[in-house]
Each structure stands twice: as structure tokens, then as C-alpha cells.
Amino acid sequence: MTDLTGKIAVVTGGTGVLGSNVAMGLLQAGAKVMVIGSRDETVAAALEKLSPYGEVKGLACNMLDPKASVTARDKVMAEWGRIDILVNAAGGNVPGATVMDDQSIFDDMKLEDLHRVIDLNLWATIYPCLIFGKVMAEQKSGSIINVSSMAAYDSLTRVMGYSIAKEGVNALTKWLAQEMAIKYSEKIRVNAIAPGFFIGNQNRKALLNDDGTYTERSHKVINKTPMRRFGDITELNGMVNFLCSDEASFITGTIIPIDGGFSAFSGV
């Protein structure tokens, strides 16, 4: 197992399924973790879940509020004095920004929800990269992991806003990687993971029928996944921990699929 003993990690969106799982993996590797969620009650629930795995603390913060994010960063610094790892797991989709097969993008897409999903996935990644990343620039070391998606590889039906936002995350990752390395330190690395399809709270209704069988959309996903299965959320942790470690010292600016081969397969 990758050893992250002594590393200080911040996980935004750390109360969600993906974020809390990544936080658990970091704790198991020996890191101290600050999980950041949007509400006090979800932070408390995450801390109860994660506490058995290591030293973890939590903060409630709206990552779309730069001033609140600065306050959160300052609290981490007051607690531990440095930030070695930033995982930007805040994000998700918004129902009103989804266009189903029987809907019209012109009549049924809610523009306010389209803005919301782009904000949640792109701006809630940009702000912490700049605010927490400034600490890394000053200390001349650190690893930032952003969360992309298969929606940034292919134009998946239904999720236009989510796809646009995740394409932006990819561009941000590449741009910030070169900016950090050239201007601040080659020991600051910025990468992204692009998860394939995992059944979670947000997509459960799209992928599973009420009786637990696969929906038509699930069968399409499985047919384009060479491993012929959905991923387990814990299968993200090995790559995240590796990218956060000194073992990945020459890796920056990459977007790495963790997808069972989905992005490599044409379906033919």
C-alpha cells in the first residue's frame, strides 16, 4: 500500500460518496485528512464514518464562496501548518440540467440548473485550486487531484451541463499543472482522475430499476465497458493515493481514466 504517513490532505466534497471514499483511502495510507462538506450535519456523519480509519477533522464550507474557502484554508493551516494534498471531489449533477430522451433541450432544459451544475463541478474546483493551491505554491510542494468524468471523454447523452463542466476541469488540470511547475516548483503536481461508471446515490435511478435489475442505460454502459461490469468506488483509491505520493514525482497534467476500459473501447 502507498505510504502517505505525515501528509496533510484536504478533500472537498468529502461528505459525498466519492469524496468520503477517497478520504478513507487517504486515511488508510496514513494521511491526516480534513473533509469539507456543505452542511454541518453531513460533515458530522462523515466524521463518524471515517474516524475509525485515522486522524480526520471536518469543516462545513460552501466551496462556491471564495471568502468562506479562504477561512476554511486558514483553519486547516492553524490546525496542521501545511497542505500536502488537495482532492477536489465536490460536484454532481442537477436534475433540471438533464435532458431525457423524451425532452427538448430548448423547452425543458432549465438554465438556472445548467448554471448550477457548471458551478458545482467547475467553479467549485477552480476556487479551491487557487485558494488551497496558494499554500502549495508558498511551500513549494503539493499534489492536487481533480475529479473529471467519462462525460468529458464522450458526449454522453442527457448530461450536457455536467459534460461541459468536466471538460473545463480537464483544461484547468492541464493549465494549472504547467503553471505550478514552471513558476513555483516542479514538486507541485496537478492531475485528475476520470472515474468510469459506479452506482451511487446520484445515478442509482438512472442505472437500476426498482427491482435492482439494470436499466437500458446500464446495459449500454456495460456493453461499452470491456470489463463488463460497473466499478466499485474503492477502486479509485489506489490511483488517488499513488498520485498523491512521491512515487508519482514525474506525473503532472494528466487525466487518468479509472473506467474498466470504457474510454478505450469503440464498441465495435
Side-chain angles (χ1 to χ4, degrees), residues 208-226:
L208 294 179
N209 296 311
D210 291 339
D211 62 0
T213 58
Y214 286 167
T215 62
E216 180 183 358
R217 190 170 180 83
S218 280
H219 286 295
K220 290 179 180 179
V221 170
I222 295 298
N223 287 339
K224 197 179 179 301
T225 303

Side-chain angles (χ1 to χ4, degrees), residues 14-16 35-48 60:
T15 61
V35 293
I36 298 180
S38 58
R39 302 190 307 277
D40 288 329
E41 57 269 28
T42 57
V43 170
L47 291 179
E48 183 177 358

Side-chain angles (χ1 to χ4, degrees), residues 17-18 196-209 212-215 218 221-222 229-234:
V17 173
L18 191 155
F197 290 84
F198 302 80
I199 298 176
N201 295 332
Q202 291 194 18
N203 63 4
R204 189 173 302 276
K205 289 185 178 180
L207 299 178
L208 294 179
N209 296 311
T213 58
Y214 286 167
T215 62
S218 280
V221 170
I222 295 298
R229 66 175 176 88
F230 289 107
D232 185 284
I233 196 71
T234 61

